[in-house]
Amino acid sequence: MMRLHHAAASPFVRKVMIVLHETGQLGEVELVAAHASPIDATNAPLKHNPLGKIPALEREEGPALYDSRVITRYLDARADGGLYPAAPALWDVLTLEATGDGIMEAALLIVYEGRFRSPEAQLAPWVDGQWAKITSALEMIEASWMGHLAGPFGAGQIAIASALGYVDFRLGARDWRSGAPQLAAWFAEISERPSFKATVPGD
Ligand code: 99T
């Protein structure tokens, strides 16, 4: 039995959960509740990921895996799930996945700025700069990646949808949809997939 260090708020964990759903491996993983935090590693899976971050995946045949991109790729290969195509299509999928992960990272930095700094210590240009990364990524997806998103389902769609779900969950007061209407329509539709409905973020 594999063990996944998990929290329902994490978009990085959500990608892994969606892959487990999509590849029929849910029954092979035990979920271990973790509360990773950059300033308190008490409940972080440090033994399995020295960086103290989740997700981390314990497996039988070797040391634990991290980070989320490694885990999703491992699980897909394990089940021959087809979420990562062969090269050259792979390079597009990995770039789109990196874009989704980058949106999550920027959103998480905004969240952490609000969570760990006193209001006086928070830096508005820093928060604005992270939000600018998100909007520039969304603009690029809207302009250049809609055809890919409409194509074969895979790790790129999983990462982008998990990122958008996280932005809505933690930064819901910010409007991204009016600047990316096609992406907003795609997100509404893909959110109906059972693997997405089963993994909606929560605290
Ligand atoms: O930074 C820390 O020490 C703890 N943070 C985490 O473990 C977050 C949880 S999302 N995970 C990552 O940053 C993983 C990033 C890595 N590159 C990957 O696995 O892809 C928590 C979301 C929330 O609470 O709102």
Side-chain angles (χ1 to χ4, degrees):
M1 193 78 158
M2 296 179 282
R3 299 176 87 231
L4 177 67
H5 295 267
H6 172 279
S10 167
F12 304 100
V13 170
R14 187 181 189 191
K15 288 191 304 172
V16 173
M17 292 302 296
I18 291 171
V19 169
L20 288 170
H21 275 266
E22 295 283 347
T23 59
Q25 298 181 89
L26 269 180
E28 295 172 61
V29 182
E30 180 193 337
L31 302 186
V32 183
H35 302 278
S37 153
I39 62 168
D40 177 8
T42 316
N43 293 308
L46 278 173
K47 238 172 61 191
H48 307 293
N49 176 355
L51 304 172
K53 298 188 184 190
I54 53 169
L57 181 77
E58 295 178 58
R59 61 191 173 129
E60 268 147 27
E61 75 272 27
L65 299 178
Y66 55 89
D67 58 21
S68 61
R69 274 185 247 190
V70 176
I71 299 173
T72 51
R73 200 149 169 194
Y74 166 78
L75 290 171
D76 183 57
R78 187 177 184 272
D80 203 8
L83 299 171
Y84 291 89
L90 177 65
W91 310 124
D92 283 349
V93 169
L94 293 181
T95 301
L96 195 56
E97 181 180 50
T99 307
D101 285 4
I103 293 170
M104 294 174 203
E105 279 158 15
L108 186 60
L109 288 176
I110 295 175
V111 169
Y112 281 171
E113 184 77 4
R115 190 179 293 169
F116 297 121
R117 282 190 204 277
S118 62
E120 316 78 66
Q122 288 172 26
L123 204 58
W126 166 266
V127 170
D128 294 347
Q130 299 305 328
W131 183 250
K133 290 182 195 297
I134 294 173
T135 52
S136 111
L138 298 184
E139 268 165 33
M140 203 261 257
I141 298 167
E142 179 84 4
S144 310
W145 288 91
M146 293 315 301
H148 180 110
L149 289 178
F153 182 77
Q157 285 90 340
I158 293 172
I160 297 300
S162 298
L164 295 174
Y166 185 67
V167 169
D168 281 349
F169 173 56
R170 289 287 195 221
L171 307 174
R174 292 175 183 260
D175 168 45
W176 58 267
R177 288 177 169 76
S178 52
Q182 301 176 81
L183 181 60
W186 172 82
F187 180 53
E189 198 183 320
I190 201 137
S191 297
E192 293 301 313
R193 240 179 135 89
S195 61
F196 287 86
K197 286 175 107 166
T199 57
V200 169
D203 276 309

